[in-house]
Amino acid sequence: DEAFKDAANTLTGEVIIGGQEHFYLENQACIVVPGEYGTCVVHSSTQHTTEVQSLVAEVLGVPFNHVTCICKRMGGGFGGKETQAAQPAMMAAIVARHTGRAARFVYNKDDDMRFTGKRHPFKTLYKVAFDDEGVITGLDLTLHANGGCSTDLTLAIQERAMLHSDNAYFIPNKRIRARAVKTNLPSNTAFRGFGGPQGIAAMEAIIEDVAAHLGLDSLDVRQRNCYGVTDRNTTHYGQLVGNNTLPRLLHEVRAESDYDARREEIARHNKTDKLTLRGLSVVPIKFGISFTRRTLNQANALVNIYVDGSVLVSTGATEMGQGVNTRIRQIVADELGVGYASVRVTETNTDKNNNTSPTAASSGTDLNGNAALVACVAIRERLATIAAKLLHDNAEGLMWEPTAIKFRRGKVWDVRRPSVQVNFQQVVCEAYNQRVSLGERGHYTTPGVDFNRDTGKGHPFYYYTMGVACAEVSIDRFTGELKVPRVDLIMDAGLPINPGIDRGQIIGGFIQGQGWCTTEELKYAPNGTLLSYSPTTYKIPNVSDIPEVFNVRMLTNPDNHMSIKRSKALGEPPLMLGLAVWTAVKDALNQRAGEIVPIQLPATGEAIAMAMAKTTDSSSGRLIPSPGMAGSTRSAAD
């Protein structure tokens, strides 16, 4: 309140943020096979095998140990199979119980879109205080989330939206409220980013509005408000922003995208070109990695070595195309010093991995990879003792020293005597002959994660993943059609475990975020019936929507000591960089009008045309109507 009393400038406004359909290519699907004594096996396309197991058991009235849930892999998930995969599994389980026969339940695409929840639409009201340089001194936010017919994960999603509503910026005085709204829609649910995108979208809209109000460049405003490295680096919930690469990312993208020269050229273009309108914007992101529910930050893994030297790994992570099994396979192979081909990651199974957390919150590799690592270290220590005996039986003057034993490329040796080596399989066989265990269960808990909901203070995240994107847009002044000619993106991935997978996650996440911001509009009838329930009416990004020039680079950051192998989680963070396309649209519209122009998210061609129809072209001073609007009068309902 004091910040607003003393403010040189204040603004109020609202940000309308639409939902998003998951559009996984494999719809919700399951098969339930009944067994003896009231048991059953559920093969489910799910991100959370334990939840499917527990809810099927509940609906059948049996203990959890009577239900086994197996997930081989999914044809996409994006959060839509975290809780909602349980519904078809429960229905199929009831049929299997009453018929005594296997039951299969699969939604078709139209029904899947009608029945399942989406990303939560948000309506955010803001009041912001700032000085003449655009430095924000106070921010008051109220976040309204459309939860649908039940809360499901709405409260947790709103919590993450509140925690991410600062995004990359230090704001000394902040008040945030969140309200869940009940509506006559299917219960909205988890979606890649889990509330973070909605919180960040509101913050980035505010930055653009502040810049437009003051007539400043929005990138300058972002850099002035950015979290610092040695000061101005504590969040509104009291967590220190460690290993902060945000200032560096903003500086490097400004240089690599030739931002300042392009900004001048775009300004000239918009004053002279009557056909197209261009915009340019940079969006940084700071995304917290961990479940905000402390209990979920744990995982277990089972690692078994067979006498032929092959390795089988089972974890609670579910594979949905994001490459978690590949990463875990690499981690295990590296830790045991065997070839990648010697390791197999088996399907996720509640018989082998109990009480698992969902594969969500970008934490699949961090949690389950670490659990597998714990198991591998324990096995390797036992094998090192066996190897020391094998290697030193005929050695003179060498004492057993398991810490000197190295495992690499299928060979085992003592660093003090590298010329003498034995095969990994020999060591394994000798361990078996000596009745040494060749299997281990690993359990991992994320350290230092603790958030007090009563005080709103604490450390909800283990570390942050950061990135930045500079997007340029071109808008048809008559139709509102949007094109994205160029994007420059830099992602702080730490030291990637698998650069190819990480690059795929970055590009795929960005394009999915761009779709949410531009083309993916959910349309409902007044009674809640979804109208855009197929690819003909709901427009996910096409290959033609990929930026013609798309520069993607990973920042080299070996200083990330928090996560496994110094890598950083990349499942969700890249999606939020797609917001740069939306803020570039805001920039173009604000330039044209010479004032703040509200624009919804997604900024569809229709929404852009309507926004231009309601504002004046500042270069000509004329009101420019959109097609079909000239000389007509329409009601707000129209």
Side-chain angles (χ1 to χ4, degrees):
D1 293 333
E2 292 300 320
F4 279 96
K5 287 179 184 177
D6 301 333
N9 306 279
T10 62
L11 271 179
T12 59
E14 68 177 28
V15 186
I16 304 298
I17 301 168
Q20 187 178 17
E21 160 64 33
H22 300 87
F23 218 95
Y24 28 70
L25 294 184
E26 177 200 29
N27 301 331
Q28 300 283 357
C30 68
I31 299 174
V32 180
V33 181
E36 58 185 4
Y37 307 120
T39 63
C40 67
V41 177
V42 183
H43 294 267
S44 175
S45 182
T46 178
Q47 294 174 238
H48 197 179
T49 52
T50 292
E51 178 158 291
V52 170
Q53 175 197 30
S54 62
L55 291 177
V56 166
E58 183 178 340
V59 79
L60 295 181
V62 299
F64 290 4
N65 64 4
H66 280 47
V67 179
T68 299
C69 181
I70 300 171
C71 178
K72 178 70 175 178
R73 64 179 67 89
M74 286 165 279
F78 308 115
K81 296 176 181 176
E82 182 174 341
T83 62
Q84 303 209 359
Q87 297 172 24
M90 287 188 286
M91 290 186 276
I94 292 170
V95 172
R97 163 64 64 86
H98 284 280
T99 63
R101 300 173 64 182
R104 181 172 179 260
F105 200 119
V106 184
Y107 295 164
N108 63 42
K109 178 54 71 180
D110 289 5
D111 285 344
D112 194 300
M113 293 184 71
R114 287 189 182 105
F115 297 164
T116 60
K118 319 297 180 194
R119 184 188 295 281
H120 286 67
F122 269 54
K123 180 177 181 177
T124 298
L125 307 179
Y126 75 82
K127 182 179 179 182
V128 61
F130 50 98
D131 66 18
D132 292 336
E133 295 299 310
V135 176
I136 296 174
T137 55
L139 182 60
D140 196 331
L141 286 176
T142 304
L143 311 174
H144 298 91
N146 181 342
C149 62
S150 70
T151 52
D152 188 12
L153 295 170
T154 299
L155 301 182
I157 285 165
Q158 285 187 297
E159 180 179 63
R160 186 172 280 268
M162 296 170 79
L163 292 168
H164 283 82
S165 60
D166 59 330
N167 191 21
Y169 312 112
F170 175 77
I171 301 171
N173 305 290
K174 190 166 184 179
R175 177 188 293 126
I176 319 168
R177 304 178 185 88
R179 298 289 182 266
V181 181
K182 185 177 182 179
T183 60
N184 61 334
L185 300 178
S187 185
N188 286 318
T189 191
F191 199 125
R192 195 175 188 176
F194 204 81
Q198 293 95 320
I200 291 173
M203 186 70 250
E204 293 304 321
I206 291 167
I207 291 285
E208 288 291 334
D209 288 352
V210 167
H213 178 80
L214 295 173
L216 300 174
D217 186 289
S218 60
L219 179 51
D220 291 336
V221 174
R222 287 182 168 92
Q223 289 183 300
R224 289 165 190 165
N225 284 284
C226 184
Y227 277 112
V229 176
T230 58
D231 62 351
R232 292 171 51 89
N233 57 354
T234 303
T235 65
H236 53 294
Y237 45 89
Q239 181 164 347
L240 187 72
V241 181
N243 190 215
N244 182 13
T245 57
L246 288 167
R248 176 183 169 189
L249 287 165
L250 285 168
H251 174 76
E252 291 189 12
V253 82
R254 186 166 200 155
E256 291 178 19
S257 67
D258 200 16
Y259 178 88
D260 294 299
R262 288 167 64 200
R263 169 61 76 193
E264 292 179 4
E265 196 276 326
I266 286 172
R268 288 193 295 269
H269 170 92
N270 288 342
K271 288 180 179 178
T272 58
D273 194 289
K274 301 304 180 184
L275 299 178
T276 60
L277 180 68
R278 291 162 62 186
L280 185 67
S281 185
V282 171
V283 166
I285 58 108
K286 170 186 65 66
F287 191 81
I289 305 300
S290 290
F291 287 98
T292 53
R293 183 182 172 193
R294 185 170 178 265
T295 302
L296 296 178
N297 293 295
Q298 62 175 307
N300 62 72
L302 179 63
V303 178
N304 289 324
I305 302 179
Y306 298 92
V307 291
D308 66 347
S310 63
V311 184
L312 186 67
V313 184
S314 175
T315 75
T318 54
E319 177 63 62
M320 63 194 88
Q322 83 281 34
V324 65
N325 284 352
T326 301
R327 289 194 186 94
I328 290 173
R329 198 174 166 189
Q330 286 183 250
I331 290 165
V332 170
D334 289 347
E335 197 62 30
L336 294 176
V338 299
Y340 179 78
S342 297
V343 181
R344 184 170 81 87
V345 178
T346 188
E347 66 272 1
T348 311
N349 186 321
T350 54
D351 277 4
K352 295 178 181 177
N353 300 100
N354 62 325
N355 307 323
T356 59
S357 299
T359 305
S362 304
S363 62
T365 300
D366 282 4
L367 290 176
N368 295 278
N370 267 305
L373 193 66
V374 169
C376 289
V377 168
I379 296 174
R380 197 188 63 213
E381 288 175 355
R382 294 197 290 268
L383 292 178
T385 301
I386 299 297
K389 294 178 183 178
L390 285 175
L391 292 167
H392 299 327
D393 272 351
N394 300 316
E396 296 180 1
L398 286 178
M399 301 292 292
W400 288 3
E401 193 173 319
T403 56
I405 304 300
K406 296 297 177 185
F407 294 76
R408 194 171 299 167
R409 299 188 183 91
K411 302 290 185 180
V412 185
W413 69 92
D414 190 314
V415 293
R416 301 167 297 173
R417 196 180 175 210
S419 60
V420 179
Q421 299 182 355
V422 294
N423 291 328
F424 179 79
Q425 184 185 355
Q426 290 178 256
V427 179
V428 169
C429 286
E430 183 62 24
Y432 175 73
N433 290 336
Q434 296 191 25
R435 299 181 296 177
V436 173
S437 173
L438 292 170
E440 188 67 41
R441 183 178 181 81
H443 186 262
Y444 173 78
T445 59
T446 307
V449 175
D450 195 17
F451 180 67
N452 188 324
R453 287 178 174 79
D454 293 329
T455 62
K457 299 293 182 181
H459 295 77
F461 306 118
Y462 189 36
Y463 65 92
Y464 297 100
T465 294
M466 300 168 184
V468 65
C470 174
E472 180 180 339
V473 299
S474 176
I475 298 169
D476 187 302
R477 289 179 182 262
F478 297 96
T479 66
E481 181 185 5
L482 175 68
K483 294 183 179 179
V484 186
R486 178 174 173 179
V487 168
D488 295 86
L489 187 157
I490 308 174
M491 201 80 206
D492 178 2
L495 292 180
I497 294 173
N498 188 308
I501 287 176
D502 286 356
R503 184 176 176 85
Q505 287 286 75
I506 292 167
I507 293 171
F510 179 89
I511 295 299
Q512 191 173 42
Q514 178 183 318
W516 170 54
C517 292
T518 59
T519 62
E520 298 185 38
E521 186 173 28
L522 295 164
K523 288 286 192 178
Y524 295 92
N527 65 355
T529 300
L530 181 67
L531 301 175
S532 51
Y533 57 80
S534 74
T536 59
T537 50
Y538 184 80
K539 299 298 184 183
I540 62 171
N542 201 337
V543 66
S544 60
D545 294 310
I546 297 172
E548 190 173 328
V549 177
F550 197 5
N551 300 315
V552 177
R553 176 169 73 84
M554 283 183 272
L555 187 76
T556 302
N557 178 16
D559 298 326
N560 176 48
H561 299 284
M562 304 291 283
S563 61
I564 188 166
K565 303 290 186 181
R566 300 192 187 186
S567 66
K568 283 196 173 187
L570 290 172
E572 294 167 300
L575 180 139
M576 278 140 279
L577 292 177
L579 285 163
V581 176
W582 180 61
T583 55
V585 172
K586 284 180 66 67
D587 173 71
L589 295 176
N590 290 344
Q591 281 191 67
R592 172 183 174 277
E595 60 183 7
I596 298 170
V597 179
I599 181 71
Q600 67 172 38
L601 189 160
T604 61
E606 178 185 18
I608 293 170
M610 294 292 285
M612 289 193 293
K614 296 175 183 177
T615 57
T616 302
D617 187 335
S618 62
S619 63
S620 65
R622 294 183 296 110
L623 187 69
I624 307 295
S626 62
M629 293 293 292
S632 67
T633 58
R634 291 191 179 186
S635 68
D638 291 334

